[in-house]
Amino acid sequence: MWVNPEEVLLAGALWMTERANPYFVLQKRKGHGDGGGGLAGLLVGTLDVVLDSSARVAPYRILYQTPDSLVYWTIAHGSSRKEITEHWEWLEQNLLQTLSIFENENDITTFVKGKIQGIIAEYNKNHDIKEDDDTDKFKEAIAKFRKLFGMPDEEKLVNYYSCSYWKGKVPRQGWLYLSINHLCFYSYLLGKEAKLVVRWADITQLEKNVTLLLPDMIRVSTRCSEHVFSVFLNISETFKLMEQLANIAMRQLLDNKGFEQDRSLPKLKKKSPKKVSALKRDLDARAKSERYRALFRLPKDEKLDGHTDCTLWTPFNKMHILGQMFVSTNYICFTSKEETVCSLIIPLREVTIVEKADSSSVLPSPLSISTKNRMTFLFANLKDRDFLVQRISDFLQQTTSKMYFEREITGSLNSSDDEHGSLLSCSPQRSSLGSETEGERQFNLNDNSVPTATQALMTMYRRRSPEEFNPKLAKEFLKEQGWKNHFAEYGQGVCMYRTEKTKDLVLKGIPENMRGELWLLFSGAINEMATHPGYYEDLVEKSMGKYNLATEEIERDLHRSLPEHPAFQNEMGIAALRRVLTAYAFRNPSIGYCQAMNIVTSVLLLYAKEEEAFWLLVALCERMLPDYYNTRVVGALVDQGVFEELAHEYVPQLYDCMQDLGVISTISLSWFLTLFLSVMPFESAVVVVDCFFYEGIKVIFQLALSVLDANIHKLLNCKDDGEAMTVLGRYLDSVTNKDSTLPPIPHLHSLLTDDGDPHPEVDIFKLICSSYEKFGSIRADVIEQMRFKQRLRVIQSIEDNTKRNVVRTIVTETAFSIDELEDLYILFKAEHLASCYWGGTSNPTDRHDPSLPYLEQYRMDLEQFKGLFTLLFPWACGSHSDSLALRLFRLLDQNADALINFREFINGLSVLCHGDLTEKLKLLYKMHVLPGKHLLPQLFYSVYLALLYNAVKKMHTPDYRTYLRLWNQETKTKPENMKDLPKMNQGQFIELCKTLYNMFSEDPNEQELYHATATVTSLLLEMGEVGKLFCSPSSKDEVEHEDEEEEQAHIRASRCQVPNGQFHRRSQQDPFYSSVEESQTKLSDIGGAEPLSCTAPMEDIKLEDSSPKDTGTSSAMLISDDETKDDTSMSSYSVLSAGSHELDEKLQCEDIAEDTVLVRSTGSQGGERLPGGGAPLNRGGLPHSASIDKDWAITFEQFLASVLTEQALVLYFEKPVEVAARITNAKNVRKLGHPYMSVSDYEISLSG
């Protein structure tokens, strides 16, 4: 390929010149090809791998050089001699003559470089390649990566690093390639090659270690192997990227959300020296955005644009605080260098003025930002103030346009009644719940009129007794005054300064009537609610009357949600809880509803208005407790693992005891899922929720460690888990909030404790302060690092558990061993993953649903099945494999959804590998006898049945309705009898014969099997003809004109066999020659004939009945070789001609070619031959629609009995199948490369 001209100092080093002229040199890399072997080749090959040479990829190159210069320029690379020769010839034909005109060498160089760059630009334009997405150097690495590991174009390389891979005790220096779905390593040292490919989805552990011998080491573990890499130039960058890619893979396993590249990133500058791909920049930007959103609790779609160092003037202490300013699409944020000093969030929707102030020595490059609530923020020491102001102005303009658009939309549209409309952020705005002037408004949810409170439920059900609670009310009043003073000094609302003093106020407890407002503020839910006006009410209306599994579970749990609180002892509270939970289940179907959500939501409703509670739940489920409330509570299991790690570090003397008792896994789920609300008295637990919304999950970990630490001595003396749970339960029941103004609410968890002496009271505020003193050093970024480690373990253990359950479920139904089933499951799952990586014919989400039963979680479509059919099924051979795979897939797809699960897959494979002769033949028979299944497009399979039934009904052919009824019965699971199978008609019999001939094409006993097949086919043909005599004729008019003599002739003819018949190659001179007329027919054309041709082209086989004018011979049968033959390829067929002779003479065959066709000829007088070798046409002018005898049929018993007469066929179908060998072969094929997959998920290729 042409490359941007790059200077080369030593043109002869490691290269050999093959062609040259005054201006250009064509060179070949030493050691490449036949002529460069020996020591030089080994050394050069080693250097190419170890060094980051630009010539590592291309063994050929073209250099440009002026005659009087010593400097060369690389202008083209080539991976083959053909490619580089094309470039060389183009240069000689188009440039050489032109260059001789120039007098100045500088002009020549400028012209050549400009010409090459123009060629590259034109190519990029024609092929829609975005300039500067990747550097030339990186493009070479991509080509090398795909060539070395057999990866398709869809597999995107992210980056590559030089490192050493430890194979045993020997390090191999080479290159580590990190792509979206794979980790790959390649090394070539002194003739020895090493390759390693590991899927990210198979990694169970990824850690960065430091040892005495290897100070920088990355250990990658899978289920069956461990790989160590060292000697990195930048190990931190490499490890972070590996973590990110592994996380993407885990997310794909969890919810099918694969990686989609963000094309909105800024492009690299021209001539950028960085070896960074667009994907790497994309992933870096994602990582920064994730940290930014987590730090400031911003919506999950917010993207960081950039950040810069600056100072912020803080009026509360009259200081300039050093920190960083972050600018994103909708927010300007600031955080101080010292984490707890000050942080600030300014939504652009609140900004009114952004202006540059005058610089001074005291205040260089200041920037002033004013907001709607009359707060002004002064930033200074901005390095690139003008650029920053321009970016903020651009984002402000977008924000203003968006707000204007929303106002236009909400002003012009009424409430949407379209249940199928998408839920947009600019949905029709209605007055929010809190702005109603009336006490109630009506929602009609599920046809019930239920009142909607406009206030937090706590304000409606608060019972106060002044005499009893005066001291507490006074303390509550002082708390409120403290917060009001704080707002006056630090600002109120989303733009307030958040400082250490804010944190202190939270730890002392938020006042009851401010709780909802501050929860919204600290959780970031206020931002999402402000930018989605009317969204909640829209959801409530759209979810009305919807019934599914989530709504059933919600209804079941409604009356279990804080039943001890008066707010949920009446319909108003229950209805509000129902609406919020149902709306969220409708918003996020992947979560829907999970137990514990009802408890948390009921507490949110006590302190927040209904819409506010909804957005708090969104923040909780989607940002603050990620993956906690999905079907497998993955997030809670991950944090359980994190808690175990923290316990091991902070309370090591207790850790071993707790592990032995198995208590940590029991307590952590109940504590974390409900934020202690289910295990602690209500008035104390809400204080924990206060701290959680301000500080995040670290508060929960700190508090849990404090509870263990406070009970350490009692727990060490416990003998079983029940005793330990009792100790912890009594302790948590004793946690009190003496400042609470609420009436005491009985706590249900106390019923589980024993009747011993009550535990001394524990003050919740002292417990929280103690947790900060002892465990406050736990950092949020450390927790995220631990979460990554535990997420790998949890998701892989879930996958392993799924595999074990699937295998355990079906191991009793099949003859496969457990190990074989596990290997087959891995291959089955690998096909799904490969289609997720590189695309497939169906949606991956349809094929993988973790909420389904284990056997249904992974399913495959037809294209994936074809790949495994070729590798694993013994009948797969030749060009007929796809057709046979299609038939088997339709047979296995019992529910007609164009997908098969693992059980269905194993059922089919088990018959072929472990079934007896009868079972195999029954499967083969059923694959061909069920009407039309092999010809249907997979996505219209179910629709076909209805269309076919309607079409057949109009034709008044009850035979086919019977067929459909039989077929529907076949799909039901019931004991099957041979006699239950429908009969096989001529069209189906033809397809069966084609299958048999193709099935034997690669067998060692091919000729014997062909001979046996011909004999069986002949016998079955005669059985079908005889059977016609015992069936009612399809047309009475045809029978009325037949006399007894003609019937006798017909019987004699139908019983005939060919004596000493020979198989002939097709020739125009053959007197018994017959041919196949291929055509595409429609269902209406066939009439009463076989309906298989209604959806796809297939050969029409001429089977012509005897007539009174004929010589009394039987009908002819032609078996076409392949459905994919072209209409003009008639001469490619061979015909087997069989004359009419006595019954006791046998059909003989020899030298049957693969494309041979069996014929029952009518003899030389049987009919007139069509021009061009067409099929003979009988003298009665038989119409085309009658070309297949609709009265001809055979049963499965006849088919089985015929096969049993031929020893060769019996031996073939009874031949044992080496299942282990086929599985191993499938693994190896996956390892070496495959159209859909590059490598197996458990085998590593290491050669040399």
Side-chain angles (χ1 to χ4, degrees):
M1 63 178 178
W2 300 106
V3 296
N4 283 313
E6 191 173 323
E7 192 171 325
V8 177
L9 296 179
L10 297 174
L14 309 179
W15 292 85
M16 298 182 296
T17 300
E18 292 201 336
R19 295 189 189 183
N21 59 44
Y23 296 101
F24 302 105
V25 180
L26 189 155
Q27 294 184 325
K28 185 181 78 169
R29 188 73 165 169
K30 289 181 180 178
H32 177 80
D34 299 332
L39 181 61
L42 291 177
L43 291 175
V44 172
T46 300
L47 287 172
D48 285 347
V49 172
V50 175
L51 302 177
D52 186 15
S53 168
S54 61
R56 284 183 308 110
V57 176
Y60 298 94
R61 70 180 182 180
I62 297 177
L63 303 180
Y64 158 75
Q65 182 203 31
T66 54
D68 298 329
S69 173
L70 297 177
V71 179
Y72 291 81
W73 300 82
T74 306
I75 60 173
H77 286 158
S79 59
S80 66
R81 185 180 296 275
K82 180 182 177 182
E83 179 185 4
I84 206 69
T85 302
E86 290 176 356
H87 290 346
W88 177 264
E89 291 174 352
W90 186 91
L91 292 171
E92 286 186 329
Q93 294 171 8
N94 295 278
L95 283 190
L96 268 184
Q97 297 298 325
T98 307
L99 297 182
S100 61
I101 301 173
F102 291 93
E103 297 180 357
N104 189 336
E105 290 190 356
N106 290 334
D107 292 342
I108 297 175
T109 302
T110 303
F111 175 77
V112 171
K113 291 168 69 174
K115 192 69 175 176
I116 299 302
Q117 289 169 350
I119 292 172
I120 295 172
E122 185 67 21
Y123 178 85
N124 291 345
K125 179 181 178 182
N126 293 338
H127 292 78
D128 196 26
I129 297 175
K130 297 184 178 180
E131 291 185 17
D132 298 325
D133 269 0
D134 293 324
T135 61
D136 290 337
K137 193 173 185 180
F138 195 81
K139 288 176 183 176
E140 293 175 7
I142 293 173
K144 180 76 170 178
F145 165 71
R146 289 175 180 161
K147 181 180 178 182
L148 283 175
F149 305 106
M151 296 292 179
D153 292 345
E154 291 82 4
E155 182 67 5
K156 305 297 184 184
L157 179 65
V158 180
N159 213 349
Y160 61 103
Y161 301 93
S162 173
C163 70
S164 289
Y165 170 64
W166 288 80
K167 183 186 177 186
K169 297 182 179 180
V170 180
R172 293 290 193 91
Q173 185 65 28
W175 289 89
L176 181 69
Y177 295 86
L178 305 180
S179 68
I180 289 296
N181 303 302
H182 296 88
L183 175 154
C184 305
F185 177 83
Y186 178 77
S187 173
Y188 180 83
L189 292 176
L190 300 177
K192 291 189 176 182
E193 187 179 59
K195 285 185 184 180
L196 168 70
V197 180
V198 180
R199 265 206 310 251
W200 292 115
D202 298 322
I203 291 178
T204 57
Q205 194 170 8
L206 184 66
E207 53 186 351
K208 184 169 63 174
N209 293 336
V210 177
T211 63
L212 186 61
L213 295 176
L214 299 174
D216 293 325
M217 179 180 73
I218 294 177
R219 188 186 305 276
V220 179
S221 302
T222 63
R223 290 177 178 84
C224 58
S225 58
E226 190 176 89
H227 312 285
V228 176
F229 302 91
S230 63
V231 196
F232 288 93
L233 296 177
N234 190 343
I235 191 170
S236 296
E237 176 191 330
T238 309
F239 186 71
K240 285 180 181 178
L241 180 57
M242 293 170 79
E243 279 188 322
Q244 204 169 2
L245 293 170
N247 251 329
I248 291 172
M250 294 304 106
R251 176 58 55 187
Q252 193 170 53
L253 287 177
L254 189 61
D255 54 17
N256 286 300
K257 291 182 180 177
F259 177 80
E260 294 182 7
Q261 187 174 356
D262 185 358
R263 294 291 185 180
S264 63
L265 294 173
K267 295 179 180 179
L268 281 176
K269 295 180 180 179
K270 289 189 176 181
K271 299 181 181 179
S272 174
K274 294 184 179 180
K275 183 192 64 177
V276 177
S277 68
L279 269 178
K280 177 67 167 61
R281 291 185 292 126
D282 181 3
L283 289 170
D284 288 343
R286 290 178 187 228
K288 291 177 181 177
S289 293
E290 284 176 10
R291 290 194 292 270
Y292 167 65
R293 291 192 296 265
L295 182 61
F296 297 104
R297 307 277 171 78
L298 299 178
K300 60 181 182 179
D301 56 350
E302 192 67 19
K303 293 181 181 178
L304 177 65
D305 186 68
H307 59 89
T308 182
D309 292 335
C310 67
T311 58
L312 172 66
W313 170 255
T314 50
F316 52 85
N317 60 1
K318 307 295 190 294
M319 290 178 63
H320 292 283
I321 297 178
L322 182 63
Q324 279 191 319
M325 175 194 283
F326 300 84
V327 179
S328 62
T329 317
N330 300 294
Y331 298 88
I332 299 171
C333 301
F334 173 87
T335 185
S336 57
K337 289 289 185 183
E338 296 182 32
E339 191 175 345
T340 58
V341 174
C342 180
S343 67
L344 181 66
I345 301 172
I346 308 173
L348 291 182
R349 64 178 183 273
E350 299 290 329
V351 173
T352 54
I353 300 174
V354 177
E355 58 182 350
K356 294 181 283 189
D358 296 332
S359 295
S360 65
S361 58
V362 179
L363 205 63
S365 302
L367 177 66
S368 172
I369 299 176
S370 302
T371 62
K372 294 177 182 177
N373 61 353
R374 298 181 182 178
M375 293 182 71
T376 300
F377 305 95
L378 186 61
F379 298 91
N381 291 285
L382 294 163
K383 293 180 180 178
D384 198 349
R385 184 178 61 168
D386 293 340
F387 176 77
L388 182 65
V389 170
Q390 183 60 47
R391 294 300 291 168
I392 293 174
S393 299
D394 293 342
F395 291 138
L396 268 174
Q397 189 174 3
Q398 295 173 16
T399 304
T400 306
S401 302
K402 191 186 302 180
M403 293 169 63
Y404 175 77
F405 176 70
E406 287 181 3
R407 283 197 297 270
E408 288 291 312
I409 292 292
T410 55
S412 61
L413 294 179
N414 295 322
S415 60
S416 173
D417 294 326
D418 183 10
E419 292 186 357
H420 303 288
S422 59
L423 302 173
L424 303 174
S425 59
C426 54
S427 56
Q429 184 175 10
R430 308 169 184 83
S431 57
S432 64
L433 296 176
S435 62
E436 293 286 329
T437 54
E438 300 175 0
E440 298 176 353
R441 59 174 294 190
Q442 298 295 320
F443 272 93
N444 292 320
L445 184 63
N446 300 335
D447 300 327
N448 292 324
S449 295
V450 289
T452 303
T454 61
Q455 304 172 11
L457 294 178
M458 186 65 78
T459 61
M460 305 177 67
Y461 293 97
R462 181 177 297 164
R463 298 196 301 259
R464 287 181 176 176
S465 174
E467 294 80 9
E468 185 180 352
F469 296 109
N470 264 339
K472 294 184 178 180
L473 287 175
K475 199 165 186 177
E476 184 78 1
F477 177 76
L478 291 177
K479 280 187 183 180
E480 292 178 8
Q481 285 302 116
W483 276 98
K484 289 178 181 177
N485 294 337
H486 183 78
F487 292 150
E489 187 176 0
Y490 295 88
Q492 187 171 5
V494 70
C495 296
M496 69 182 289
Y497 293 96
R498 305 172 194 216
T499 66
E500 190 70 21
K501 188 174 180 181
T502 312
K503 176 181 172 181
D504 292 339
L505 285 173
V506 172
L507 296 185
K508 292 176 182 176
I510 297 176
E512 295 284 335
N513 59 355
M514 291 184 176
R515 199 160 254 145
E517 173 192 347
L518 291 175
W519 281 0
L520 276 173
L521 181 64
F522 295 143
S523 67
I526 190 172
N527 293 314
E528 289 167 302
M529 189 171 76
T531 54
H532 293 77
Y535 176 82
Y536 171 68
E537 295 177 21
D538 224 20
L539 271 181
V540 170
E541 290 189 7
K542 288 175 183 292
S543 61
M544 284 193 299
K546 298 294 193 310
Y547 293 96
N548 52 37
L549 181 61
T551 57
E552 289 178 13
E553 292 177 345
I554 289 170
E555 289 298 325
R556 186 178 63 238
D557 286 350
L558 283 177
H559 295 279
R560 306 176 188 173
S561 310
L562 248 62
E564 63 272 21
H565 198 284
F568 297 100
Q569 294 171 357
N570 61 78
E571 187 55 32
M572 180 179 289
I574 294 295
L577 182 60
R578 177 189 293 115
R579 281 192 294 272
V580 173
L581 290 174
T582 305
Y584 186 77
F586 194 72
R587 165 191 167 89
N588 193 344
S590 62
I591 291 179
Y593 172 77
C594 175
Q595 284 189 341
M597 284 174 68
N598 59 319
I599 297 174
V600 175
T601 307
S602 59
V603 174
L604 299 178
L605 281 167
L606 288 176
Y607 293 102
K609 299 168 187 175
E610 194 171 311
E611 185 179 12
E612 294 171 346
F614 170 79
W615 287 111
L616 282 169
L617 183 63
V618 170
L620 203 69
C621 295
E622 298 177 11
R623 290 189 288 107
M624 302 190 73
L625 295 176
D627 300 321
Y628 258 59
Y629 299 106
N630 58 25
T631 53
R632 296 181 286 187
V633 293
V634 171
L637 293 172
V638 168
D639 280 352
Q640 173 186 306
V642 173
F643 181 54
E644 290 182 6
E645 278 196 74
L646 292 173
H648 185 264
E649 180 179 351
Y650 287 96
V651 283
Q653 67 273 35
L654 185 60
Y655 175 77
D656 291 336
C657 173
M658 297 292 283
Q659 285 293 93
D660 293 340
L661 296 176
V663 174
I664 291 183
S665 59
T666 306
I667 61 175
S668 54
L669 279 181
S670 58
W671 293 1
F672 295 166
L673 276 171
T674 62
L675 304 176
F676 285 92
L677 288 165
S678 63
V679 294
M680 195 180 283
F682 173 77
E683 62 275 9
S684 302
V686 290
V687 179
V688 178
V689 179
D690 293 343
C691 300
F692 168 76
F693 278 125
Y694 187 79
E695 285 270 70
I697 192 64
K698 66 169 286 186
V699 173
I700 306 299
F701 287 125
Q702 289 174 188
L703 193 63
L705 290 172
S706 288
V707 172
L708 294 184
D709 185 64
N711 294 276
I712 187 168
H713 299 297
K714 292 182 179 179
L715 290 172
L716 286 173
N717 294 325
C718 290
K719 295 179 177 60
D720 54 40
D721 58 340
E723 188 178 351
M725 292 300 295
T726 301
V727 169
L728 294 171
R730 290 185 60 203
Y731 179 85
L732 290 170
D733 284 333
S734 68
V735 177
T736 59
N737 179 2
K738 296 180 180 178
D739 296 345
S740 175
T741 60
L742 301 175
I745 299 172
H747 186 228
L748 296 181
H749 186 264
S750 60
L751 301 175
L752 302 176
T753 60
D754 59 10
D755 298 327
D757 296 333
H759 193 283
E761 289 187 351
V762 180
D763 185 75
I764 180 62
F765 298 108
K766 290 182 179 178
L767 180 61
I768 290 175
C769 287
S770 172
S771 73
Y772 272 90
E773 290 172 2
K774 293 182 179 180
F775 310 108
S777 59
I778 298 174
R779 295 172 53 87
D781 56 345
V782 175
I783 291 175
E784 285 305 314
Q785 183 67 36
M786 291 181 173
R787 275 179 164 176
F788 164 74
K789 179 181 176 182
Q790 295 299 327
R791 192 177 295 115
L792 286 179
R793 181 188 61 79
V794 168
I795 293 180
Q796 295 294 12
S797 65
I798 288 175
E799 291 294 311
D800 290 341
N801 188 47
T802 300
K803 179 178 70 176
R804 283 192 297 270
N805 281 288
V806 168
V807 171
R808 189 183 305 121
T809 303
I810 65 176
V811 70
T812 58
E813 304 173 8
T814 177
F816 289 115
S817 67
I818 292 179
D819 291 340
E820 288 171 344
L821 285 173
E822 289 183 349
D823 285 344
L824 289 169
Y825 179 84
I826 290 171
L827 285 169
F828 188 90
K829 174 182 164 185
E831 283 292 338
H832 165 81
L833 292 176
S835 68
C836 291
Y837 299 160
W838 304 322
T841 57
S842 58
N843 188 351
T845 309
D846 296 336
R847 291 182 274 105
H848 180 213
D849 186 353
S851 64
L852 291 174
Y854 290 117
L855 278 168
E856 296 283 342
Q857 286 185 14
Y858 285 105
R859 293 173 289 178
M860 64 167 52
D861 59 23
L862 175 60
E863 290 305 314
Q864 296 169 306
F865 178 74
K866 285 180 180 178
L868 284 186
F869 181 84
T870 304
L871 293 174
L872 294 172
F873 285 71
W875 290 354
C877 61
S879 60
H880 210 57
S881 289
D882 281 357
S883 174
L884 198 60
L886 185 50
R887 294 177 185 278
L888 182 57
F889 182 86
R890 296 306 179 197
L891 184 63
L892 298 178
D893 182 16
Q894 297 182 3
N895 58 356
D897 62 351
L899 297 171
I900 62 171
N901 61 33
F902 186 63
R903 169 182 270 152
E904 293 166 338
F905 174 80
I906 289 297
N907 286 343
L909 183 60
S910 180
V911 171
L912 297 191
C913 293
H914 298 293
D916 58 24
L917 174 68
T918 305
E919 290 174 335
K920 291 178 182 179
L921 291 176
K922 185 187 294 184
L923 181 68
L924 184 63
Y925 182 88
K926 287 164 64 177
M927 286 164 60
H928 294 81
V929 79
L930 302 186
K933 294 174 74 171
H934 64 291
L935 295 171
L936 306 180
Q938 62 180 25
L939 296 179
F940 302 101
Y941 188 34
S942 300
V943 179
Y944 162 77
L945 296 177
L947 294 176
L948 179 61
Y949 179 80
N950 291 333
V952 172
K953 186 175 180 181
K954 293 177 182 178
M955 294 160 50
H956 305 290
T957 52
D959 291 345
Y960 287 95
R961 288 198 294 273
T962 304
Y963 250 104
L964 284 174
R965 281 197 300 272
L966 288 170
W967 180 83
N968 284 326
Q969 292 170 5
E970 189 71 25
T971 62
K972 299 176 182 178
T973 55
K974 60 183 179 62
E976 190 176 58
N977 195 308
M978 289 185 190
K979 295 182 180 179
D980 296 334
L981 293 172
K983 292 183 178 182
M984 178 178 284
N985 62 30
Q986 273 190 349
Q988 295 162 347
F989 179 68
I990 291 167
E991 296 300 324
L992 175 62
C993 294
K994 288 168 58 180
T995 298
L996 287 172
Y997 276 108
N998 283 276
M999 192 185 295
F1000 309 140
S1001 62
E1002 298 175 8
D1003 194 275
N1005 302 317
E1006 183 177 352
Q1007 292 301 320
E1008 285 184 49
L1009 290 167
Y1010 280 153
H1011 181 97
T1013 303
T1015 305
V1016 169
T1017 303
S1018 178
L1019 186 60
L1020 287 171
L1021 278 170
E1022 294 164 6
M1023 289 182 180
E1025 292 293 332
V1026 173
K1028 289 168 58 176
L1029 302 178
F1030 303 99
C1031 300
S1032 58
S1034 58
S1035 174
K1036 294 183 180 180
D1037 295 336
E1038 295 176 5
V1039 180
E1040 289 176 357
H1041 300 290
E1042 292 182 4
D1043 54 22
E1044 184 177 352
E1045 182 180 349
E1046 290 171 340
E1047 288 183 6
Q1048 293 294 331
H1050 182 76
I1051 294 173
R1052 288 195 303 271
S1054 66
R1055 291 180 177 175
C1056 289
Q1057 279 193 328
V1058 183
N1060 303 318
Q1062 300 295 323
F1063 290 87
H1064 304 279
R1065 300 298 295 174
R1066 171 173 304 173
S1067 64
Q1068 296 293 335
Q1069 291 77 22
D1070 186 355
F1072 298 157
Y1073 169 78
S1074 296
S1075 178
V1076 178
E1077 178 185 73
E1078 297 180 30
S1079 64
Q1080 183 175 0
T1081 60
K1082 296 181 180 179
L1083 182 63
S1084 58
D1085 295 332
I1086 295 176
E1090 131 91 348
L1092 296 177
S1093 304
C1094 63
T1095 59
M1098 65 174 286
E1099 293 84 6
D1100 286 332
I1101 312 304
K1102 294 291 182 180
L1103 297 169
E1104 308 198 29
D1105 293 332
S1106 303
S1107 67
K1109 297 181 182 180
D1110 288 340
T1111 57
T1113 54
S1114 66
S1115 58
M1117 173 180 175
L1118 299 179
I1119 301 173
S1120 64
D1121 173 65
D1122 197 335
E1123 294 181 21
T1124 60
K1125 295 285 184 181
D1126 190 84
D1127 289 344
T1128 61
S1129 63
M1130 304 307 298
S1131 61
S1132 66
Y1133 283 87
S1134 296
V1135 178
L1136 304 181
S1137 181
S1140 301
H1141 292 279
E1142 295 299 322
L1143 180 64
D1144 58 342
E1145 296 183 23
K1146 298 293 183 181
L1147 182 68
Q1148 300 178 4
C1149 61
E1150 55 189 30
D1151 300 326
I1152 308 175
E1154 182 178 347
D1155 60 347
T1156 301
V1157 181
L1158 178 66
V1159 177
R1160 296 282 300 181
S1161 177
T1162 59
S1164 58
Q1165 305 298 323
E1168 298 175 0
R1169 193 174 309 284
L1170 293 175
L1177 182 67
N1178 70 353
R1179 297 178 184 178
L1182 190 67
H1184 175 75
S1185 60
S1187 59
I1188 292 180
D1189 190 344
K1190 56 193 174 185
D1191 293 330
W1192 188 98
I1194 60 171
T1195 64
F1196 174 69
E1197 292 94 324
Q1198 292 172 327
F1199 173 62
L1200 176 61
S1202 301
V1203 172
L1204 290 175
T1205 63
E1206 290 297 325
Q1207 185 67 13
L1209 290 175
V1210 172
L1211 292 175
Y1212 177 84
F1213 285 107
E1214 286 186 339
K1215 182 171 58 178
V1217 178
E1218 295 291 337
V1219 180
R1222 289 188 170 273
I1223 293 174
T1224 303
N1225 176 62
K1227 294 178 184 179
N1228 292 333
V1229 170
R1230 292 290 181 260
K1231 181 175 67 178
L1232 297 173
H1234 188 266
Y1236 301 104
M1237 261 194 72
S1238 63
V1239 70
S1240 71
D1241 56 333
Y1242 35 71
E1243 290 205 356
I1244 306 302
S1245 173
L1246 281 170
S1247 60

